[in-house]
Amino acid sequence: MEHLKQKGGLEGAFSVWCWSVLRAAMPSKQDWETLEALRNSSKGRLQYNREWSSESTQGINESTVVLSEYAAWILDNVISRTEPDSTPVERPPLQDDSVPARHTEPGNQRSEVPLREAESSSKLQMDKLMEVEGSILLFEKAHKMKVKEQLQARLDMCNQFSKSMAEKSAEQLKRFEEMMELKQRQEKHQLLELLEKGSKEALGQQEKLKEEHRHRAKLLTLKLREAEQQRQQEIERIRQEEGRERMRRLWSLQQEVLQLVQKIQVDYKQQEALRVDLSSYGHRGNQICGMLSSVIRSSTERGYPTQDDVNLGEHSLQEMQMLASTIEKELAAAEQRKKAEEEAAKEKQKEAQLQAQQQQQQATPQTTAPAQDSKQEGLPKKVSNSTLQRYLDLQKGLEQCQKACEDLATCKDPQTKKIRANLQRAVTIPVSQISSVSGSQVRDTFEKINNFLMGKPVVFAGQTILLSQHPLGQEFVSLKLAEKLVNQGEEEVASHHESAFPIAYVASALWERYPKVGELFLANLHKKCPYTVPLYPPFKKGTSLEDYQRLMGYQVKDSIMEQQDSFLKRMSGMIRLYAAVMQVRWPYGTSQGNHPHGLNHGWHWFAQMLNMEPLSDLTATLLFDFLEVCGNAMIKQYRNQFWKLLILIKDQYFPKIEKITTGTEMGSVSRLKHFLEEAVRRRDIPLPKGYLQPSFWRT
């Protein structure tokens, strides 16, 4: 019993309870079956502790609830003893044999009567037992329900606690976020303040730098302005110095011209005594002095003279020198004639008829001179028939054009005269503006003329000019344009050799687009300079000396033929223009055809010249000018054939020129000789002066 009490829990309680019941009354066989079933049920494995309390967290573990083996032994032995009719149920032997030994001791003197009473009382005890068991079950159920309620309450309390903690955590998180946001705002504000402060400092620094820059720029501008002023002052000083030098040069030229004018002013009595008329020379000298005086006066009003004024003064001086030398020659010849007349008068006073014949010869000495010269020199050979026919056709076309434009050229109607003047100015003024200053200027000049010839309107002096304003406008303009181009060669190229090429480019371009203009240009050129054919007009009987001189290309005014130097200068300008036209093409043209008057005509000109007898002074001048302008182009075109031609000129033709040249005409011959020797020695002819390089057209 003491051993059973020591087990504790539900097992020990159940065993104590069973032992007390058995002691009161031994159960019946049915009761033992109930106990056996109870033992084998799940309740038999429950552990029940009376010390459980509502505060305890220990639950019921059904897996560990079992009945004690002592309780089973007691039930087996009690049943086997109290039920005699039943067969004892075998039980496994208990580990502790002391307990059954207690019940089998012989000292136990119970009788059967008490056993029966015990059986009946046992039934009562079983009822109580069942009641107690039900109470236990109810108590356990109530206890379970109470535990569940406590657990649910505790769970609710935990949930509520968790919820409150979550809300508290959320509030704390919100406060933390607000704190962080505030901190970020403060940091952002501080950063903005720093940035603003830095920007203010940067702006201040920038303003300071700007101020320094403005100050430096102002100083630099002042320095540049001072440097520019110094440069302008230096330029102005140089310009004034050059102007003063040109003015001094003009004064000296004027002084020399005035001295020469006084020298050529021959007394009328002396002229009458020598029977010569030199008034034209004095008149020309006065014109030159007046022109030079007007140039000096206008240049003084402008400030200082230009280089063109100086060139004009030098040209005037040269012309005055030529006039002075011509007058000296005329006076010397007149004196010689006078002496000869006096001697003849003394010797042949009695022979009046012979004296009359001598006086007639003395009155007309110039008419016999050309014939005598021609006999001495010999008549030149004629050009080929084809060349002569070409020349005659060109002159015929020129005469027809002049005749067609005669009505317009001689009309006295004011409106027609105004139209004629406008048409002429529309082409002659642009041609006179051609120069080698820049390629764009030459191109603009050509475009003006070309547009006008195409019928487009041209504005001149505020007036709109059209080619169609007169029915003869096309013919008249073509004629005047051709004449102006030839005049440019006669005047401009004669004075400035480098101007031949820009004029030649315009003439070549117009010739290519308007063949009529080219034909008229060539006809005018042949008329003023027959040596461009080449043609040496023969002297025919019945032709006056003035007409013959005009045929030869001389200018004759008031029965006075121009000086040989002036004549050669004009011929040189026209032959140079002709040589330049042969070798140039308009650089902006789109046509790929042949040149309208190319280098093949230059070869033909050379062949004709070498087949004719040379003229004194003139042939050497023409050959030199033509070779200097066109020689380089002829070498590139004909190569060895042209070199053979040069050697032929040097070895065979040049000695003929030397043979007919006098001492006063050796200048042109010496130039030609030196040119031929250098060309043959170097096997090259350099580019002519004024040749326009391709880069010129980009200016």
Side-chain angles (χ1 to χ4, degrees):
M1 192 64 181
E2 297 296 329
H3 179 72
L4 291 175
K5 289 180 180 181
Q6 293 176 1
K7 294 295 182 179
L10 181 60
E11 182 182 354
F14 187 76
S15 299
V16 172
W17 175 76
C18 290
W19 183 256
S20 63
V21 170
L22 288 176
R23 289 183 65 184
M26 297 299 291
S28 64
K29 183 178 179 180
Q30 187 177 1
D31 295 333
W32 289 112
E33 291 177 354
T34 301
L35 293 174
E36 183 66 21
L38 181 61
R39 176 188 174 188
N40 294 329
S41 67
S42 60
K43 296 293 184 179
R45 293 190 298 273
L46 289 174
Q47 291 182 359
Y48 181 76
N49 188 1
R50 294 183 182 275
E51 301 298 327
W52 283 355
S53 64
S54 60
E55 302 296 329
S56 176
T57 59
Q58 182 179 359
I60 301 173
N61 189 0
E62 295 181 355
S63 63
T64 59
V65 177
V66 293
L67 292 175
S68 175
E69 57 184 6
Y70 295 104
W73 180 83
I74 293 171
L75 292 176
D76 289 342
N77 284 281
V78 171
I79 292 172
S80 62
R81 290 179 180 180
T82 57
E83 294 181 359
D85 294 336
S86 63
T87 58
V89 180
E90 295 182 359
R91 302 291 179 181
L94 298 175
Q95 294 177 358
D96 189 3
D97 294 339
S98 61
V99 176
R102 291 177 185 174
H103 294 280
T104 59
E105 290 179 358
N108 191 359
Q109 299 296 326
R110 294 180 182 179
S111 63
E112 294 180 359
V113 176
L115 288 171
R116 289 175 181 173
E117 292 177 355
E119 184 178 357
S120 59
S121 62
S122 175
K123 290 180 180 180
L124 294 174
Q125 290 292 332
M126 287 300 294
D127 292 336
K128 291 180 180 181
L129 180 61
M130 294 299 292
E131 184 179 357
V132 171
E133 184 68 19
S135 299
I136 293 172
L137 292 175
L138 290 174
F139 175 78
E140 289 178 353
K141 187 175 181 180
H143 185 71
K144 287 180 180 180
M145 292 177 64
K146 184 177 180 181
V147 169
K148 286 182 179 180
E149 290 177 356
Q150 292 176 352
L151 289 175
Q152 186 64 35
R154 195 173 187 86
L155 183 60
D156 293 340
M157 183 181 66
C158 290
N159 290 336
Q160 185 176 4
F161 179 75
S162 299
K163 184 177 180 181
S164 63
M165 291 300 294
E167 292 177 354
K168 186 176 181 181
S169 299
E171 290 295 330
Q172 290 180 354
L173 180 61
K174 188 175 181 180
R175 300 291 84 77
F176 178 75
E177 290 177 351
E178 291 176 353
M179 182 65 69
M180 293 301 295
E181 185 177 359
L182 177 61
K183 188 174 181 180
Q184 289 178 356
R185 287 198 190 97
Q186 292 176 349
E187 292 178 352
K188 183 178 180 181
H189 182 69
Q190 292 176 357
L191 183 60
L192 290 175
E193 288 181 350
L194 290 175
L195 290 174
E196 185 178 0
K197 183 178 179 181
S199 62
K200 287 181 179 179
E201 292 178 355
L203 288 174
Q205 188 69 19
Q206 187 176 5
E207 289 296 329
K208 185 177 179 181
L209 291 175
K210 285 182 179 179
E211 185 63 29
E212 292 179 356
H213 177 70
R214 284 193 292 268
H215 181 66
R216 291 179 180 177
K218 188 181 295 183
L219 293 177
L220 184 60
T221 304
L222 291 174
K223 291 182 180 179
L224 290 175
R225 190 176 301 168
E226 291 176 358
E228 181 66 20
Q229 290 177 355
Q230 292 178 358
R231 190 178 69 85
Q232 293 295 336
Q233 291 174 359
E234 182 66 19
I235 293 174
E236 182 64 21
R237 186 187 63 79
I238 295 173
R239 188 185 69 82
Q240 292 178 359
E241 185 176 351
E242 292 176 351
R244 286 191 291 269
E245 182 64 28
R246 289 193 295 269
M247 181 61 73
R248 287 191 291 269
R249 176 60 178 164
L250 270 180
W251 289 340
S252 63
L253 291 172
Q254 186 182 23
Q255 185 178 2
E256 293 180 10
V257 167
L258 291 174
Q259 292 175 356
L260 289 174
V261 166
Q262 294 176 359
K263 186 177 181 181
I264 66 176
Q265 294 294 339
V266 182
D267 187 81
Y268 290 106
K269 293 182 179 181
Q270 185 180 1
Q271 294 184 36
E272 186 177 356
L274 296 175
R275 287 182 294 179
V276 292
D277 186 9
L278 303 178
S279 60
S280 60
Y281 294 101
H283 180 67
R284 179 56 183 165
N286 292 330
Q287 288 180 348
I288 293 173
C289 289
M291 181 183 63
L292 188 58
S293 298
S294 64
V295 168
I296 293 176
R297 191 181 304 109
S298 61
S299 62
T300 304
E301 293 175 356
R302 291 195 308 267
Y304 296 101
T306 62
Q307 186 61 37
D308 294 336
D309 298 334
V310 176
N311 294 335
L312 182 60
E314 292 177 350
H315 179 72
S316 301
L317 177 60
Q318 292 176 1
E319 188 173 355
M320 289 296 297
Q321 290 173 349
M322 291 172 59
L323 289 175
S325 87
T326 303
I327 289 175
E328 289 179 357
K329 291 179 181 179
E330 291 287 342
L331 291 175
E335 288 178 357
Q336 290 178 0
R337 285 195 302 269
K338 183 179 179 181
K339 290 179 180 180
E341 290 174 1
E342 290 176 353
E343 291 176 359
K346 290 179 180 179
E347 293 176 358
K348 300 177 181 180
Q349 292 178 355
K350 296 180 180 181
E351 298 177 1
Q353 186 178 358
L354 182 61
Q355 185 177 3
Q357 292 178 357
Q358 290 178 353
Q359 290 177 357
Q360 184 179 2
Q361 291 178 358
Q362 291 173 0
T364 58
Q366 295 179 353
T367 57
T368 59
Q372 295 174 0
D373 293 342
S374 63
K375 290 180 180 179
Q376 292 176 2
E377 296 175 1
L379 293 174
K381 295 180 180 180
K382 295 181 179 179
V383 295
S384 64
N385 293 332
S386 60
T387 303
L388 182 60
Q389 186 61 41
R390 172 65 174 162
Y391 166 76
L392 294 175
D393 292 341
L394 288 172
Q395 296 305 312
K396 184 178 180 180
L398 177 61
E399 291 176 0
Q400 291 176 353
C401 184
Q402 289 174 342
K403 187 175 181 180
C405 298
E406 186 176 358
D407 293 340
L408 178 59
T410 59
C411 183
K412 302 299 183 181
D413 179 61
Q415 185 65 26
T416 305
K417 289 173 65 177
K418 183 178 179 181
I419 293 174
R420 179 181 64 205
N422 289 336
L423 291 175
Q424 186 170 347
R425 284 198 295 262
V427 291
T428 56
I429 290 179
V431 172
S432 63
Q433 295 174 348
I434 299 173
S435 66
S436 57
V437 174
S438 65
S440 59
Q441 188 268 343
V442 177
R443 184 177 183 182
D444 292 342
T445 301
F446 168 74
E447 291 296 335
K448 290 178 182 178
I449 302 173
N450 183 45
N451 292 336
F452 184 67
L453 292 176
M454 291 173 63
K456 296 181 180 180
V458 174
V459 179
F460 180 79
Q463 297 181 357
T464 302
I465 307 173
L466 281 171
L467 197 64
S468 59
Q469 287 178 340
H470 196 277
L472 297 174
Q474 186 74 41
E475 291 287 331
F476 180 76
V477 167
S478 299
L479 178 62
K480 293 303 176 182
L481 179 59
E483 291 177 354
K484 183 62 178 177
L485 288 171
V486 175
N487 289 339
Q488 286 294 100
E490 184 181 12
E491 298 172 1
E492 182 65 22
V493 180
S495 301
H496 306 90
H497 292 169
E498 65 275 5
S499 64
F501 282 96
I503 299 172
Y505 270 104
V506 176
S508 175
L510 293 172
W511 197 337
E512 186 174 350
R513 287 162 177 76
Y514 308 98
K516 180 68 174 179
V517 176
E519 296 292 322
L520 293 174
F521 166 76
L522 191 60
N524 274 282
L525 188 67
H526 289 342
K527 184 177 180 179
K528 287 196 171 185
C529 181
Y531 314 105
T532 56
V533 178
L535 177 66
Y536 299 157
F539 182 80
K540 297 180 180 179
K541 291 183 179 181
T543 304
S544 64
L545 181 61
E546 293 182 2
D547 292 339
Y548 178 69
Q549 289 172 345
R550 290 189 179 95
L551 288 175
M552 293 289 289
Y554 288 91
Q555 291 181 349
V556 181
K557 294 181 182 180
D558 300 329
S559 300
I560 299 176
M561 184 183 71
E562 69 175 326
Q563 298 299 314
Q564 185 70 8
D565 292 343
S566 177
F567 167 72
L568 292 176
K569 184 177 181 181
R570 289 191 305 104
M571 297 300 109
S572 174
M574 286 185 281
I575 200 69
R576 282 178 176 273
L577 177 60
Y578 184 51
V581 169
M582 290 181 185
Q583 60 179 303
V584 299
R585 295 289 298 272
W586 185 242
Y588 303 102
T590 56
S591 61
Q592 300 297 325
N594 295 328
H595 194 288
H597 199 80
L599 290 174
N600 56 320
H601 293 273
W603 183 272
H604 178 76
W605 184 86
F606 266 114
Q608 293 291 327
M609 285 289 291
L610 297 181
N611 288 329
M612 300 171 65
E613 289 293 333
L615 295 180
S616 175
D617 202 18
L618 180 62
T619 302
T621 301
L622 296 177
L623 286 175
F624 171 75
D625 291 330
F626 197 94
L627 285 172
E628 189 177 45
V629 175
C630 203
N632 184 270
M634 296 288 285
I635 288 175
K636 294 179 181 178
Q637 181 76 16
Y638 298 105
R639 300 183 182 276
N640 291 334
Q641 296 298 324
F642 187 73
W643 285 116
K644 293 178 181 178
L645 184 63
L646 282 180
I647 294 173
L648 176 65
I649 295 172
K650 177 178 177 294
D651 295 340
Q652 299 183 20
Y653 194 73
F654 184 76
K656 293 182 179 181
I657 298 175
E658 285 185 317
K659 187 176 180 180
I660 63 171
T661 303
T662 61
T664 59
E665 300 168 347
M666 287 302 295
S668 58
V669 176
S670 299
R671 287 195 299 270
L672 178 61
K673 182 179 181 180
H674 178 72
F675 181 87
L676 292 172
E677 290 176 350
E678 286 295 314
V680 173
R681 182 180 63 83
R682 296 166 53 186
R683 294 284 296 180
D684 183 37
I685 296 178
L687 287 172
K689 182 181 180 182
Y691 182 81
L692 303 181
Q693 300 289 347
S695 59
F696 170 78
W697 301 104
R698 295 193 293 271
T699 60

